[in-house]
Amino acid sequence: MIYNLAFLAFCTGLLLFLWNAPPETTIKLPNDEIHARFHHMKKRDAEAFCIKCHNPKGTAPLPKNHPPKYRCLFCHKVG
Ligand code: HEC
Ligand code: HEC
């Protein structure tokens, strides 16, 4: 009985914890002319293009404090 109650308490706690997780704040992949075609590609295929513009010498360099940029679309969600 005690264990059942403890388990129940644990589950409730976990649920509340997940419920209160902050909303995703990272900006999504823009839905403009430049990025439109990437919305219909496989993630990995699309990511090969990102760096062509988003590099220090490109048209849209990443901010200096940008987090590790491996796999763009895991953080910058499509849609
Ligand atoms: C042809 C050049 C080009 C390519 C390729 C490209 N981008 Fe961009 N990106 C831009 C430019 C220019 C801007 C700034 C203007 C804008 O928001 O469209 C930008 C802006 C952004 C922003 C920020 C939008 C904001 O609100 O500040 C994100 C995030 C982004 N791109 C992600 C990506 C990802 C992920 C890929 C690869 C799937 C990618 N871009 C491919 C040119 C490009
Ligand atoms: C680990 C998660 C992560 C990955 C992977 C990632 N980013 Fe970001 N990116 C962020 C965060 C966080 C910011 C800061 C702005 C914000 O609050 O969204 C950011 C900012 C940007 C901005 C600037 C937006 C602005 O308004 O100044 C661009 C452009 C961008 N990322 C493009 C890319 C590209 C292209 C890749 C892949 C080469 C990439 N990101 C990979 C998390 C990520």
Side-chain angles (χ1 to χ4, degrees), residues 16 21 24-25 44 51 58 72 76:
L16 286 175
E24 271 190 66
T25 50
R44 204 178 267 281
I51 278 297
C72 315
H76 300 287

Side-chain angles (χ1 to χ4, degrees), residues 9-58:
F10 171 77
C11 289
T12 313
L14 191 66
L15 192 72
L16 286 175
F17 175 76
L18 293 173
W19 197 266
N20 285 321
E24 271 190 66
T25 50
T26 306
I27 30 173
K28 292 187 171 173
L29 178 67
N31 204 348
D32 55 15
E33 263 170 48
I34 305 174
H35 301 89
R37 61 193 178 121
F38 303 123
H39 288 256
H40 309 290
M41 280 188 202
K42 283 205 190 123
K43 283 200 178 69
R44 204 178 267 281
D45 294 344
E47 279 161 354
F49 294 95
C50 310
I51 278 297
K52 291 189 179 163
C53 301
H54 294 286
N55 70 64
K57 293 191 178 131

